[in-house]
Amino acid sequence: MSEIRPIRWADGQLHLLDQTRLPAEETTVVVARYEEAVDAIREMRVRGAPAIGVTAAYAMAMAARRLADESRGQPGSQFMPLLEQAATRIKAARPTAVNLGWAVDRMLAVAASSGTPPEIAGRLLAEAEKIQTEDEAINRRMGEFGKDLMPDGGSVLTHCNTGALATSAFGTALGVIRAGWESGKRFDVFNTETRPWLQGARLTSWEFQKLGIPATLLVDSAAGMLMRQGRIGCVITGADRIAANGDTANKIGTYALAVLARENGIPFYVAAPTSTIDLGLPDGDGIEIEERAPEEVTRYGAVPTAPQGVAAVNPAFDVTPHRYITAIVTESGVASAPYAESLLLAVRSEK
Ligand code: MRU
């Protein structure tokens, strides 16, 4: 099987596998301007915290290249102030995943080095490529650490999509499941549908099929019943932002799964790179939760699924308090409570 790589830089443009079209169509959107990358993030053509970070890094490189072209030969260049304006716009594309702001800040730090605008633009492209390459390596390391948590003969439930599609390649929580499977362990895999965008049904099921890992799809609300029946042995999800104390923001529905797991005596794991850990936030109360359009709940594509004019609320993420989390897998190892200490150590060891 060839690896799924949703983000590709070629011919001076960003090629994104359009995740709004999967699994029906495998089409690519080609992005030449940073504003189009911002739109692609907002419209969920590319999604998942690490993938958003990588796309944001390329968006910064595209902004820098255009500004360098425009400022060529002109004294008193506005290059840096205009690049900072682009950075603010890119950061605002989606608020919850910290990887986006993390990647943009890393690019700004490179841009602050001395050099002409074209030199800086060249360095920014190299940095974006480095972030993408590093992401795959980090995910594979998480898989190595996390595979020991996977059962041999039991079962695992996952939520949303945390696979290659949500990253540069390999994935986070799905990568841990993959690493467990590829180590020779055999277990049942369940994945939720993940309303309203159906990242689980459309994307995770597609990835498991490509990987040759048998997986069973369930509606989100069936998870409690399956746990009570003893059919789920553990749960593993990704994360969009992890506060210093371990409180974890992830796809809406994660909190309910964690509480159900505790009620049923099932371990609940999170897998995320250290770039998802936000040590600036003491706990999850400070995490901004993206609210998306109510129409995503009241219709599916063009098809209404609720009466016209009905009110709907659509938080895209929720926060799981750290007390429900059995362990957090990062590229530096498996962290456990007290997370205020173990996550700090994990972040420091990757600096
Ligand atoms: O709204 P999405 O599809 O971007 O949400 C994605 C998730 O919540 C993932 O679980 C998270 O980003 C981790 S992805 C490796």
Side-chain angles (χ1 to χ4, degrees):
M1 189 212 69
S2 63
E3 291 291 335
I4 301 164
R5 289 200 165 78
I7 303 166
R8 203 166 50 87
W9 179 262
D11 309 322
Q13 293 174 314
L14 195 56
H15 299 246
L16 301 170
L17 181 57
D18 187 346
Q19 301 192 30
T20 63
R21 318 289 288 198
L22 286 169
E25 284 171 41
E26 290 180 33
T27 38
T28 298
V29 279
V30 182
V31 167
R33 298 166 61 88
Y34 88 85
E35 294 90 340
E36 293 166 350
V38 170
D39 288 345
I41 293 172
R42 228 181 247 133
E43 292 162 4
M44 314 266 282
R45 296 186 195 285
V46 57
R47 35 114 342 254
I52 290 172
V54 171
T55 305
Y58 281 112
M60 284 291 290
M62 285 188 280
R65 185 183 57 192
R66 191 168 83 213
L67 291 169
D69 288 347
E70 287 169 2
S71 71
R72 194 157 276 163
Q74 285 174 23
S77 160
Q78 284 294 293
F79 179 78
M80 267 317 280
L82 290 173
L83 188 63
E84 277 160 15
Q85 269 179 29
T88 305
R89 216 165 139 185
I90 296 165
K91 275 189 183 180
R94 288 187 79 190
T96 304
V98 72
N99 306 61
L100 199 159
W102 168 87
V104 172
D105 286 342
R106 185 165 151 176
M107 298 294 279
L108 280 174
V110 171
S113 59
S114 60
T116 64
E119 280 165 1
I120 293 172
R123 254 178 252 150
L124 287 186
L125 178 58
E127 189 70 9
E129 286 169 334
K130 191 163 165 226
I131 289 175
Q132 184 174 20
T133 310
E134 280 174 10
D135 182 54
E136 179 172 350
I138 284 169
N139 294 339
R140 289 184 185 274
R141 262 168 41 218
M142 269 193 285
E144 283 306 301
F145 284 120
K147 70 182 182 196
D148 292 342
L149 300 174
M150 294 294 98
D152 201 3
S155 60
V156 57
L157 170 71
T158 190
H159 186 53
C160 195
N161 173 268
T162 61
L165 289 171
T167 63
S168 297
F170 201 80
T172 59
L174 196 154
V176 168
I177 295 173
R178 171 178 171 178
W181 187 267
E182 288 178 350
S183 74
K185 289 181 175 178
R186 287 296 170 262
F187 45 87
D188 292 330
V189 178
F190 292 94
N191 66 290
T192 62
E193 222 177 11
T194 319
R195 281 275 296 151
W197 267 84
L198 302 182
Q199 289 96 328
R202 294 187 302 107
L203 309 177
T204 301
S205 301
W206 181 81
E207 282 201 42
F208 277 133
Q209 280 194 345
K210 291 237 170 212
L211 291 168
I213 300 175
T216 303
L217 180 65
L218 53 131
V219 296
D220 300 350
S221 44
M225 175 67 176
L226 264 69
M227 287 186 198
R228 220 169 113 71
Q229 288 174 330
R231 294 169 71 186
I232 309 286
C234 67
V235 182
I236 186 160
T237 72
D240 284 82
R241 192 181 292 244
I242 302 175
N245 70 345
D247 291 354
T248 293
N250 190 50
K251 181 51 56 194
I252 191 73
T254 303
Y255 171 44
L257 291 176
V259 175
L260 283 167
R262 171 61 53 86
E263 166 70 12
N264 289 281
I266 296 166
F268 182 91
Y269 305 121
V270 170
T274 50
S275 56
T276 302
I277 300 168
D278 185 350
L279 293 177
L281 286 181
D283 59 48
D285 291 347
I287 300 177
E288 185 182 349
I289 299 295
E290 177 184 10
E291 276 277 343
R292 294 188 63 90
E295 291 73 28
E296 292 181 356
V297 177
T298 59
R299 44 181 58 238
Y300 187 71
V303 182
T305 55
Q308 177 104 36
V310 76
V313 61
N314 188 16
F317 302 95
D318 57 28
V319 175
T320 299
H322 62 91
R323 66 178 177 279
Y324 292 107
I325 301 172
T326 313
I328 300 178
V329 183
T330 73
E331 72 275 26
S332 87
V334 178
S336 50
Y339 291 111
E341 289 166 23
S342 57
L343 294 181
L344 184 63
L345 277 176
V347 171
R348 281 202 183 139
S349 68
E350 296 306 319
K351 279 252 159 83

